CSV table of all heavy atoms in Angstrom, one decimal:
chain,number,residue,atom,x,y,z
A,458,ALA,N,-79.9,-40.7,-27.1
A,458,ALA,CA,-80.5,-41.6,-28.1
A,458,ALA,C,-79.4,-41.7,-29.2
A,458,ALA,O,-79.5,-40.7,-30.1
A,458,ALA,CB,-81.8,-41.1,-28.6
A,459,GLY,N,-78.7,-42.7,-29.3
A,459,GLY,CA,-77.5,-42.8,-30.3
A,459,GLY,C,-78.1,-43.0,-31.7
A,459,GLY,O,-77.6,-42.4,-32.6
A,460,ARG,N,-79.0,-43.9,-31.9
A,460,ARG,CA,-79.4,-44.2,-33.2
A,460,ARG,C,-80.2,-43.0,-33.8
A,460,ARG,O,-80.1,-42.7,-34.9
A,460,ARG,CB,-80.4,-45.5,-33.1
A,460,ARG,CG,-80.9,-46.0,-34.4
A,460,ARG,CD,-81.8,-47.2,-34.3
A,460,ARG,NE,-82.7,-47.0,-33.1
A,460,ARG,CZ,-83.4,-48.0,-32.5
A,460,ARG,NH1,-83.1,-49.2,-32.7
A,460,ARG,NH2,-84.3,-47.6,-31.7
A,461,GLU,N,-80.9,-42.3,-33.0
A,461,GLU,CA,-81.8,-41.2,-33.4
A,461,GLU,C,-81.0,-39.9,-33.3
A,461,GLU,O,-81.5,-38.8,-33.7
A,461,GLU,CB,-83.1,-41.1,-32.7
A,461,GLU,CG,-83.9,-42.4,-32.6
A,461,GLU,CD,-84.5,-42.6,-34.0
A,461,GLU,OE1,-84.8,-41.7,-34.7
A,461,GLU,OE2,-84.5,-43.8,-34.3
A,462,LYS,N,-79.8,-40.0,-32.7
A,462,LYS,CA,-78.9,-38.8,-32.8
A,462,LYS,C,-79.4,-37.6,-32.0
A,462,LYS,O,-79.5,-36.5,-32.5
A,462,LYS,CB,-78.4,-38.4,-34.1
A,462,LYS,CG,-77.9,-39.5,-34.9
A,462,LYS,CD,-77.4,-39.1,-36.3
A,462,LYS,CE,-76.7,-40.3,-37.0
A,462,LYS,NZ,-76.2,-39.9,-38.3
A,463,LYS,N,-80.0,-37.9,-30.8
A,463,LYS,CA,-80.7,-36.8,-30.0
A,463,LYS,C,-80.2,-36.9,-28.5
A,463,LYS,O,-80.0,-38.0,-28.0
A,463,LYS,CB,-82.2,-36.9,-30.1
A,463,LYS,CG,-82.8,-36.7,-31.3
A,463,LYS,CD,-82.9,-35.3,-31.8
A,463,LYS,CE,-83.3,-35.0,-33.1
A,463,LYS,NZ,-84.6,-35.6,-33.5
A,464,ILE,N,-80.1,-35.7,-28.0
A,464,ILE,CA,-79.7,-35.6,-26.6
A,464,ILE,C,-80.7,-34.6,-26.0
A,464,ILE,O,-81.1,-33.6,-26.5
A,464,ILE,CB,-78.3,-35.0,-26.4
A,464,ILE,CG1,-77.2,-36.1,-26.6
A,464,ILE,CG2,-78.1,-34.4,-25.0
A,464,ILE,CD1,-75.9,-35.6,-26.7
A,465,TYR,N,-81.3,-35.0,-24.7
A,465,TYR,CA,-82.1,-34.0,-24.0
A,465,TYR,C,-81.9,-34.3,-22.5
A,465,TYR,O,-81.2,-35.2,-22.2
A,465,TYR,CB,-83.6,-34.1,-24.4
A,465,TYR,CG,-84.2,-35.5,-24.4
A,465,TYR,CD1,-85.0,-35.8,-23.4
A,465,TYR,CD2,-84.0,-36.4,-25.4
A,465,TYR,CE1,-85.8,-37.1,-23.4
A,465,TYR,CE2,-84.6,-37.7,-25.4
A,465,TYR,CZ,-85.5,-38.0,-24.5
A,465,TYR,OH,-86.2,-39.2,-24.4
A,466,ALA,N,-82.5,-33.4,-21.7
A,466,ALA,CA,-82.1,-33.4,-20.3
A,466,ALA,C,-83.1,-32.8,-19.4
A,466,ALA,O,-84.1,-32.1,-19.9
A,466,ALA,CB,-80.8,-32.5,-20.1
A,467,LEU,N,-83.0,-33.2,-18.2
A,467,LEU,CA,-83.9,-32.6,-17.1
A,467,LEU,C,-82.9,-32.0,-16.0
A,467,LEU,O,-82.3,-32.9,-15.3
A,467,LEU,CB,-84.8,-33.7,-16.5
A,467,LEU,CG,-85.9,-34.2,-17.3
A,467,LEU,CD1,-86.6,-35.4,-16.6
A,467,LEU,CD2,-87.0,-33.1,-17.6
A,468,PRO,N,-82.9,-30.7,-15.9
A,468,PRO,CA,-82.1,-30.2,-14.7
A,468,PRO,C,-82.7,-30.6,-13.5
A,468,PRO,O,-84.0,-31.0,-13.4
A,468,PRO,CB,-82.2,-28.7,-14.9
A,468,PRO,CG,-82.7,-28.5,-16.4
A,468,PRO,CD,-83.5,-29.7,-16.7
A,469,PRO,N,-82.1,-30.5,-12.4
A,469,PRO,CA,-82.7,-30.9,-11.1
A,469,PRO,C,-84.0,-30.0,-10.8
A,469,PRO,O,-84.0,-28.9,-11.3
A,469,PRO,CB,-81.6,-30.5,-10.0
A,469,PRO,CG,-80.3,-30.6,-10.8
A,469,PRO,CD,-80.7,-30.0,-12.1
A,470,TYR,N,-84.8,-30.4,-10.0
A,470,TYR,CA,-86.0,-29.6,-9.6
A,470,TYR,C,-86.7,-29.1,-10.8
A,470,TYR,O,-87.2,-28.0,-10.8
A,470,TYR,CB,-85.6,-28.6,-8.6
A,470,TYR,CG,-84.8,-29.2,-7.5
A,470,TYR,CD1,-83.5,-28.8,-7.3
A,470,TYR,CD2,-85.4,-30.1,-6.5
A,470,TYR,CE1,-82.8,-29.4,-6.3
A,470,TYR,CE2,-84.7,-30.6,-5.6
A,470,TYR,CZ,-83.4,-30.2,-5.4
A,470,TYR,OH,-82.7,-30.8,-4.3
A,471,THR,N,-87.0,-29.9,-11.9
A,471,THR,CA,-87.8,-29.5,-12.9
A,471,THR,C,-89.1,-30.2,-12.9
A,471,THR,O,-89.3,-31.3,-12.5
A,471,THR,CB,-87.1,-29.9,-14.3
A,471,THR,OG1,-85.8,-29.2,-14.3
A,471,THR,CG2,-87.9,-29.5,-15.5
A,472,LYS,N,-90.1,-29.4,-13.3
A,472,LYS,CA,-91.5,-30.0,-13.2
A,472,LYS,C,-91.8,-30.9,-14.4
A,472,LYS,O,-91.6,-30.6,-15.6
A,472,LYS,CB,-92.4,-28.7,-13.3
A,472,LYS,CG,-93.9,-29.2,-13.1
A,472,LYS,CD,-94.9,-27.9,-13.2
A,472,LYS,CE,-96.4,-28.3,-13.0
A,472,LYS,NZ,-97.1,-27.1,-13.1
A,473,VAL,N,-92.0,-32.2,-14.0
A,473,VAL,CA,-92.3,-33.2,-15.1
A,473,VAL,C,-93.6,-33.8,-14.8
A,473,VAL,O,-93.8,-34.4,-13.7
A,473,VAL,CB,-91.2,-34.2,-15.0
A,473,VAL,CG1,-91.5,-35.3,-16.1
A,473,VAL,CG2,-89.8,-33.7,-15.3
A,474,GLU,N,-94.6,-33.6,-15.6
A,474,GLU,CA,-95.9,-34.2,-15.4
A,474,GLU,C,-96.3,-35.2,-16.4
A,474,GLU,O,-96.1,-35.0,-17.7
A,474,GLU,CB,-97.0,-33.0,-15.6
A,474,GLU,CG,-96.9,-32.0,-14.5
A,474,GLU,CD,-98.0,-30.8,-14.8
A,474,GLU,OE1,-97.7,-30.1,-15.7
A,474,GLU,OE2,-99.0,-30.8,-14.0
A,475,SER,N,-96.8,-36.4,-16.0
A,475,SER,CA,-97.2,-37.3,-17.0
A,475,SER,C,-98.5,-37.0,-17.6
A,475,SER,O,-99.4,-36.5,-16.8
A,475,SER,CB,-97.4,-38.7,-16.3
A,475,SER,OG,-96.2,-39.1,-15.6
A,476,LEU,N,-98.6,-37.1,-18.8
A,476,LEU,CA,-99.8,-36.6,-19.5
A,476,LEU,C,-101.1,-37.4,-19.1
A,476,LEU,O,-101.0,-38.7,-19.1
A,476,LEU,CB,-99.7,-36.7,-21.0
A,476,LEU,CG,-98.6,-35.9,-21.8
A,476,LEU,CD1,-98.8,-35.9,-23.3
A,476,LEU,CD2,-98.7,-34.4,-21.2
A,477,ALA,N,-102.1,-36.7,-18.7
A,477,ALA,CA,-103.3,-37.4,-18.3
A,477,ALA,C,-104.5,-36.4,-18.4
A,477,ALA,O,-104.3,-35.2,-18.5
A,477,ALA,CB,-103.2,-37.7,-16.8
A,478,PHE,N,-105.7,-37.0,-18.4
A,478,PHE,CA,-106.8,-36.1,-18.4
A,478,PHE,C,-107.4,-35.9,-17.0
A,478,PHE,O,-107.2,-36.7,-16.2
A,478,PHE,CB,-108.0,-36.8,-19.3
A,478,PHE,CG,-107.5,-37.1,-20.7
A,478,PHE,CD1,-106.9,-38.3,-21.2
A,478,PHE,CD2,-107.6,-36.1,-21.7
A,478,PHE,CE1,-106.5,-38.5,-22.4
A,478,PHE,CE2,-107.2,-36.2,-22.9
A,478,PHE,CZ,-106.6,-37.5,-23.4
A,479,VAL,N,-108.2,-34.8,-16.9
A,479,VAL,CA,-108.7,-34.5,-15.6
A,479,VAL,C,-109.5,-35.6,-15.0
A,479,VAL,O,-109.4,-35.9,-13.8
A,479,VAL,CB,-109.5,-33.1,-15.7
A,479,VAL,CG1,-110.2,-32.8,-14.3
A,479,VAL,CG2,-108.7,-32.0,-16.1
A,480,ASP,N,-110.4,-36.3,-15.9
A,480,ASP,CA,-111.2,-37.2,-15.3
A,480,ASP,C,-110.5,-38.6,-15.4
A,480,ASP,O,-111.2,-39.7,-15.1
A,480,ASP,CB,-112.6,-37.2,-16.1
A,480,ASP,CG,-112.4,-37.4,-17.6
A,480,ASP,OD1,-111.2,-37.1,-18.1
A,480,ASP,OD2,-113.4,-37.6,-18.3
A,481,ARG,N,-109.4,-38.7,-16.0
A,481,ARG,CA,-108.6,-40.0,-16.1
A,481,ARG,C,-107.2,-39.7,-15.6
A,481,ARG,O,-106.3,-39.6,-16.5
A,481,ARG,CB,-108.6,-40.6,-17.5
A,481,ARG,CG,-109.9,-40.9,-18.1
A,481,ARG,CD,-110.4,-42.3,-17.6
A,481,ARG,NE,-111.7,-42.5,-18.1
A,481,ARG,CZ,-112.3,-43.6,-18.1
A,481,ARG,NH1,-111.7,-44.7,-17.6
A,481,ARG,NH2,-113.5,-43.9,-18.5
A,482,PRO,N,-106.9,-39.6,-14.3
A,482,PRO,CA,-105.6,-39.2,-13.8
A,482,PRO,C,-104.6,-40.3,-14.2
A,482,PRO,O,-105.0,-41.5,-14.4
A,482,PRO,CB,-105.8,-39.2,-12.3
A,482,PRO,CG,-107.1,-39.8,-12.0
A,482,PRO,CD,-107.9,-39.9,-13.2
A,483,PHE,N,-103.4,-39.9,-14.2
A,483,PHE,CA,-102.3,-40.8,-14.4
A,483,PHE,C,-102.2,-42.0,-13.4
A,483,PHE,O,-102.2,-41.6,-12.2
A,483,PHE,CB,-100.9,-40.0,-14.5
A,483,PHE,CG,-99.7,-40.9,-14.7
A,483,PHE,CD1,-99.5,-41.4,-15.9
A,483,PHE,CD2,-98.9,-41.0,-13.6
A,483,PHE,CE1,-98.3,-42.2,-16.1
A,483,PHE,CE2,-97.7,-41.9,-13.8
A,483,PHE,CZ,-97.4,-42.4,-15.0
A,484,VAL,N,-102.0,-43.1,-13.7
A,484,VAL,CA,-101.9,-44.2,-12.7
A,484,VAL,C,-100.7,-45.0,-13.0
A,484,VAL,O,-100.5,-45.4,-14.2
A,484,VAL,CB,-103.2,-45.1,-12.8
A,484,VAL,CG1,-103.1,-46.3,-11.9
A,484,VAL,CG2,-104.5,-44.4,-12.6
A,485,SER,N,-99.9,-45.2,-12.1
A,485,SER,CA,-98.7,-46.1,-12.2
A,485,SER,C,-99.0,-47.5,-11.9
A,485,SER,O,-100.1,-47.8,-11.3
A,485,SER,CB,-97.6,-45.5,-11.4
A,485,SER,OG,-97.8,-45.6,-10.0
A,486,GLU,N,-98.1,-48.4,-12.1
A,486,GLU,CA,-98.4,-49.8,-11.9
A,486,GLU,C,-98.6,-50.0,-10.3
A,486,GLU,O,-97.9,-49.3,-9.6
A,486,GLU,CB,-97.0,-50.7,-12.3
A,486,GLU,CG,-96.7,-50.6,-13.8
A,486,GLU,CD,-95.9,-49.4,-14.2
A,486,GLU,OE1,-95.7,-48.5,-13.4
A,486,GLU,OE2,-95.4,-49.4,-15.3
A,487,SER,N,-99.6,-50.9,-10.0
A,487,SER,CA,-99.8,-51.1,-8.6
A,487,SER,C,-99.0,-52.2,-8.0
A,487,SER,O,-98.9,-53.3,-8.6
A,487,SER,CB,-101.3,-51.4,-8.5
A,487,SER,OG,-101.5,-51.8,-7.1
A,488,MET,N,-98.3,-51.8,-7.0
A,488,MET,CA,-97.4,-52.9,-6.3
A,488,MET,C,-98.1,-53.2,-5.0
A,488,MET,O,-97.4,-53.8,-4.0
A,488,MET,CB,-96.0,-52.4,-6.0
A,488,MET,CG,-95.3,-52.1,-7.3
A,488,MET,SD,-94.9,-53.5,-8.3
A,488,MET,CE,-94.9,-52.8,-10.0
A,489,HIS,N,-99.4,-52.8,-4.8
A,489,HIS,CA,-100.1,-53.0,-3.6
A,489,HIS,C,-100.1,-54.4,-3.2
A,489,HIS,O,-100.5,-55.3,-3.9
A,489,HIS,CB,-101.4,-52.4,-3.6
A,489,HIS,CG,-102.3,-52.4,-2.3
A,489,HIS,ND1,-101.8,-51.6,-1.3
A,489,HIS,CD2,-103.3,-53.1,-1.9
A,489,HIS,CE1,-102.7,-51.8,-0.3
A,489,HIS,NE2,-103.6,-52.8,-0.6
A,490,GLY,N,-99.7,-54.7,-1.9
A,490,GLY,CA,-99.8,-56.1,-1.4
A,490,GLY,C,-98.8,-57.0,-1.8
A,490,GLY,O,-98.8,-58.3,-1.6
A,491,LYS,N,-97.9,-56.6,-2.7
A,491,LYS,CA,-96.8,-57.5,-3.1
A,491,LYS,C,-95.5,-57.2,-2.4
A,491,LYS,O,-95.2,-56.0,-2.2
A,491,LYS,CB,-96.6,-57.2,-4.7
A,491,LYS,CG,-97.9,-57.6,-5.4
A,491,LYS,CD,-97.8,-57.0,-6.9
A,491,LYS,CE,-99.2,-57.3,-7.5
A,491,LYS,NZ,-99.3,-56.5,-8.8
A,492,ILE,N,-94.8,-58.3,-2.2
A,492,ILE,CA,-93.6,-58.2,-1.4
A,492,ILE,C,-92.4,-58.9,-2.1
A,492,ILE,O,-92.6,-59.9,-2.7
A,492,ILE,CB,-93.7,-58.8,0.0
A,492,ILE,CG1,-94.7,-58.0,0.8
A,492,ILE,CG2,-92.4,-58.7,0.8
A,492,ILE,CD1,-95.2,-58.6,2.1
A,493,CYS,N,-91.3,-58.3,-2.1
A,493,CYS,CA,-90.0,-59.0,-2.7
A,493,CYS,C,-89.8,-60.2,-1.8
A,493,CYS,O,-89.6,-60.1,-0.7
A,493,CYS,CB,-88.9,-58.0,-2.7
A,493,CYS,SG,-87.3,-58.8,-3.2
A,494,ARG,N,-89.6,-61.3,-2.5
A,494,ARG,CA,-89.4,-62.6,-1.7
A,494,ARG,C,-88.0,-62.6,-1.2
A,494,ARG,O,-87.7,-63.5,-0.3
A,494,ARG,CB,-89.7,-63.8,-2.6
A,494,ARG,CG,-88.7,-64.0,-3.7
A,494,ARG,CD,-88.9,-65.5,-4.3
A,494,ARG,NE,-87.9,-65.7,-5.3
A,494,ARG,CZ,-87.6,-66.8,-5.8
A,494,ARG,NH1,-88.2,-67.9,-5.3
A,494,ARG,NH2,-86.6,-66.9,-6.8
A,495,LEU,N,-87.1,-61.9,-1.7
A,495,LEU,CA,-85.6,-61.9,-1.3
A,495,LEU,C,-85.3,-61.0,-0.1
A,495,LEU,O,-84.6,-61.4,0.7
A,495,LEU,CB,-84.8,-61.6,-2.5
A,495,LEU,CG,-84.8,-62.4,-3.7
A,495,LEU,CD1,-84.0,-62.0,-4.8
A,495,LEU,CD2,-84.4,-63.9,-3.3
A,496,CYS,N,-85.9,-59.8,-0.2
A,496,CYS,CA,-85.5,-58.8,0.8
A,496,CYS,C,-86.7,-58.2,1.6
A,496,CYS,O,-86.6,-57.5,2.5
A,496,CYS,CB,-84.8,-57.6,0.2
A,496,CYS,SG,-85.8,-56.5,-0.8
A,497,GLY,N,-87.9,-58.6,1.1
A,497,GLY,CA,-89.1,-58.1,1.8
A,497,GLY,C,-89.6,-56.8,1.6
A,497,GLY,O,-90.4,-56.3,2.2
A,498,ALA,N,-89.0,-56.2,0.6
A,498,ALA,CA,-89.3,-54.8,0.3
A,498,ALA,C,-90.7,-54.6,-0.3
A,498,ALA,O,-91.2,-55.5,-1.0
A,498,ALA,CB,-88.4,-54.2,-0.9
A,499,GLU,N,-91.5,-53.5,0.2
A,499,GLU,CA,-92.8,-53.3,-0.3
A,499,GLU,C,-92.8,-51.9,-0.9
A,499,GLU,O,-92.0,-51.0,-0.6
A,499,GLU,CB,-93.8,-53.3,0.9
A,499,GLU,CG,-94.0,-54.6,1.5
A,499,GLU,CD,-95.0,-54.4,2.7
A,499,GLU,OE1,-96.2,-54.4,2.5
A,499,GLU,OE2,-94.4,-54.4,3.8
A,500,GLY,N,-93.7,-51.6,-1.8
A,500,GLY,CA,-93.9,-50.3,-2.4
A,500,GLY,C,-92.8,-49.9,-3.3
A,500,GLY,O,-92.5,-48.8,-3.7
A,501,VAL,N,-92.0,-50.9,-3.8
A,501,VAL,CA,-91.0,-50.6,-4.8
A,501,VAL,C,-91.4,-51.3,-6.1
A,501,VAL,O,-92.3,-52.1,-6.1
A,501,VAL,CB,-89.5,-51.1,-4.4
A,501,VAL,CG1,-89.2,-50.3,-3.2
A,501,VAL,CG2,-89.5,-52.6,-4.1
A,502,PHE,N,-90.7,-51.1,-7.3
A,502,PHE,CA,-91.0,-51.7,-8.4
A,502,PHE,C,-90.6,-53.2,-8.5
A,502,PHE,O,-89.3,-53.4,-8.3
A,502,PHE,CB,-90.5,-50.9,-9.6
A,502,PHE,CG,-91.0,-51.3,-11.0
A,502,PHE,CD1,-92.3,-51.0,-11.3
A,502,PHE,CD2,-90.3,-52.2,-11.9
A,502,PHE,CE1,-92.8,-51.4,-12.5
A,502,PHE,CE2,-90.8,-52.6,-13.0
A,502,PHE,CZ,-92.1,-52.2,-13.3
A,503,LEU,N,-91.5,-54.1,-8.6
A,503,LEU,CA,-91.2,-55.5,-8.5
A,503,LEU,C,-91.3,-56.2,-9.8
A,503,LEU,O,-92.2,-55.8,-10.6
A,503,LEU,CB,-92.1,-56.2,-7.5
A,503,LEU,CG,-92.0,-55.6,-6.1
A,503,LEU,CD1,-93.2,-56.1,-5.2
A,503,LEU,CD2,-90.7,-56.0,-5.4
A,504,ASP,N,-90.5,-57.2,-10.0
A,504,ASP,CA,-90.7,-58.1,-11.2
A,504,ASP,C,-91.5,-59.3,-10.8
A,504,ASP,O,-91.4,-59.8,-9.7
A,504,ASP,CB,-89.4,-58.7,-11.7
A,504,ASP,CG,-88.5,-57.7,-12.4
A,504,ASP,OD1,-89.0,-56.8,-12.9
A,504,ASP,OD2,-87.3,-57.8,-12.4
A,505,GLU,N,-92.5,-59.7,-11.6
A,505,GLU,CA,-93.3,-60.9,-11.3
A,505,GLU,C,-92.8,-62.1,-12.1
A,505,GLU,O,-92.5,-62.0,-13.3
A,505,GLU,CB,-94.8,-60.6,-11.8
A,505,GLU,CG,-95.7,-61.7,-11.5
A,505,GLU,CD,-97.2,-61.4,-12.0
A,505,GLU,OE1,-97.8,-60.3,-11.4
A,505,GLU,OE2,-97.6,-62.0,-12.8
A,506,SER,N,-92.6,-63.2,-11.4
A,506,SER,CA,-92.2,-64.5,-12.0
A,506,SER,C,-93.2,-65.5,-11.8
A,506,SER,O,-93.9,-65.5,-10.7
A,506,SER,CB,-90.8,-64.9,-11.4
A,506,SER,OG,-89.9,-64.0,-11.7
A,507,VAL,N,-93.3,-66.4,-12.7
A,507,VAL,CA,-94.4,-67.4,-12.5
A,507,VAL,C,-93.7,-68.7,-12.1
A,507,VAL,O,-92.6,-69.1,-12.6
A,507,VAL,CB,-95.1,-67.7,-13.9
A,507,VAL,CG1,-96.2,-68.8,-13.8
A,507,VAL,CG2,-95.7,-66.3,-14.4
A,508,GLN,N,-94.3,-69.4,-11.1
A,508,GLN,CA,-93.7,-70.6,-10.7
A,508,GLN,C,-94.4,-71.8,-11.3
A,508,GLN,O,-95.1,-71.6,-12.3
A,508,GLN,CB,-94.0,-70.8,-9.2
A,508,GLN,CG,-93.4,-69.6,-8.3
A,508,GLN,CD,-93.6,-69.9,-6.8
A,508,GLN,OE1,-92.7,-70.6,-6.2
A,508,GLN,NE2,-94.6,-69.4,-6.3
A,509,ALA,N,-94.0,-73.0,-10.9
A,509,ALA,CA,-94.6,-74.2,-11.5
A,509,ALA,C,-96.1,-74.2,-11.4
A,509,ALA,O,-96.7,-73.5,-10.6
A,509,ALA,CB,-93.9,-75.4,-10.8
Side-chain angles (χ1 to χ4, degrees):
Chain A
R460 187 178 48 201
E461 304 292 323
K462 305 183 177 182
K463 296 284 172 56
I464 283 172
Y465 52 106
L467 291 175
Y470 307 113
T471 298
K472 188 176 177 184
V473 181
E474 289 176 293
S475 300
L476 295 191
F478 298 96
V479 175
D480 56 345
R481 297 278 174 166
F483 174 74
V484 180
S485 62
E486 297 85 351
S487 173
M488 298 296 152
H489 184 69
K491 296 165 186 168
I492 297 172
C493 173
R494 70 165 183 166
L495 299 173
C496 72
E499 290 178 80
V501 298
F502 192 74
L503 300 167
D504 286 335
E505 181 180 296
S506 297
V507 180
Q508 300 189 86

